[in-house]
Amino acid sequence: MGFVSRTFGILLKLTVIFLIITFVPGIPPDMEFEAYTLTPSRPLEGALAVNNKLNNAERLFEDEIRGPEHLEVHNGVLYTTLDGGYVAKIVADKIVPVVKFGKKCEGLYEPEVCGRPLGLAFDRKGFMYAVDAYYGVFKVNTSTGEYEQLVSMDTEIEKKVPKLPNSVTVAKDGTIYWTDSTTSHYLHDGFYTMLGNGNGRLIKYDPKTKINTVLIDKLHFANGVALSRDESFVLVSDLLRSRVMKYNLKGPNTGKSEVFLDGLPGFPDNLHSTEKGEFHISLALDIDKGNPSLTALLGPYPLVRKLLARLTYLLELPALQLNMYYPNFNSKVYSYWIGSFSMVPQFMLSQRSSVIFFNEDGKITRSLYATDKKICCISDFVEFNNFYYLGSFSNPYLARVKAS
């Protein structure tokens, strides 16, 4: 009976502690926690049937770079965004820095200083548009390296300032469409966005008036963005809901948003469109029966998500306080590891990596997979010089596969 009573006592105390953490007001993070459900993932059959077309990938620049998040080809040159703050291009099999918006920093564990460019796009005149998660939206002359800040991090957009600018695309008339993944957390606190409700946004920037307008809000980590061939609509990745949203720019439904593609077998990251009217999207993490979506599992249980978010904050708090009064390497690294997506457990990583293709009607037409575990965490895909290049938000290399 002594063991039983002691066990019961411990469980009772833990329950009281958890109830206090969950219900006492004022404990960060300041987020909304409401119940939601996700559309079940589509079966991997038909156009989604698993293949091995991305197997046997080369690892370029291994351990020389980290996180080639976004890939863009312009005038026969491949550009990418790197952890550490640089936008770079690949010339003669070498990484050549193009521009950096951040400041000199100690290491990748302080991205708020280094800067972290995520999205890229080019307009018809050849200017690059780059989005840095910590410094805003920029217009860049790639020939000179000179740049102009279009949107700063203190720009109030419909009563909220951006916290995590992510992706960008440019219309023929120069209108810019960009995403703010969340209005509550920075990239180094990205793990919290998996637990709270979505508050990301799709935003339009008018270069003539310099006004930003929110087109869609409450996205659960707004990510990639792409325009249709005739620019009648714009698509945006709703990453943590495993879907793609559509905003109508022309036609009878102008100004309205709708779900365009749902139940994707993973977390959709960067989006691209082609002149043939086809889109493709990379899945940063894949979902299947053996690797369920954390957001799908926890969505119906807002109190559990609130408890986990507050527990995570309390784990991070000692390092935050220590670093505030006594800045040091260990507390910075610990705080970064707790709050960032490094917290996403390795068991969530799927046995495959995926790129999905679909048309302007929202019909999936084909897919490409890596099943040999040589690569993971694909954030972007481009076909260039008879190769498939595969970007990643975390990999210490750029992957390349011979195009089939």
Side-chain angles (χ1 to χ4, degrees), residues 219-235:
L219 294 167
H220 208 162
F221 207 89
N223 207 299
V225 58
L227 284 159
S228 63
R229 179 172 42 178
D230 62 359
E231 300 189 349
S232 63
F233 63 86
V234 58
L235 299 181

Side-chain angles (χ1 to χ4, degrees), residues 343-363:
M343 277 286 288
V344 179
Q346 289 298 308
F347 66 78
M348 288 184 63
L349 300 182
S350 174
Q351 303 299 307
R352 65 182 190 277
S353 298
S354 314
V355 180
I356 308 298
F357 296 78
F358 53 96
N359 62 27
E360 293 186 336
D361 296 321
K363 180 181 178 181

Side-chain angles (χ1 to χ4, degrees), residues 45 62 69-70 73 105 117 151 186 191 221 264 274 278 285 303 306 318 327 348 351 371 386:
E45 58 189 31
E62 189 162 14
E69 163 80 17
H70 188 100
V73 176
C105 54
V151 182
Y186 296 105
F191 178 70
F221 207 89
L264 289 171
T274 71
E278 185 179 55
L285 292 176
L303 291 181
K306 186 176 183 179
M348 288 184 63
Q351 303 299 307
T371 58
N386 297 316

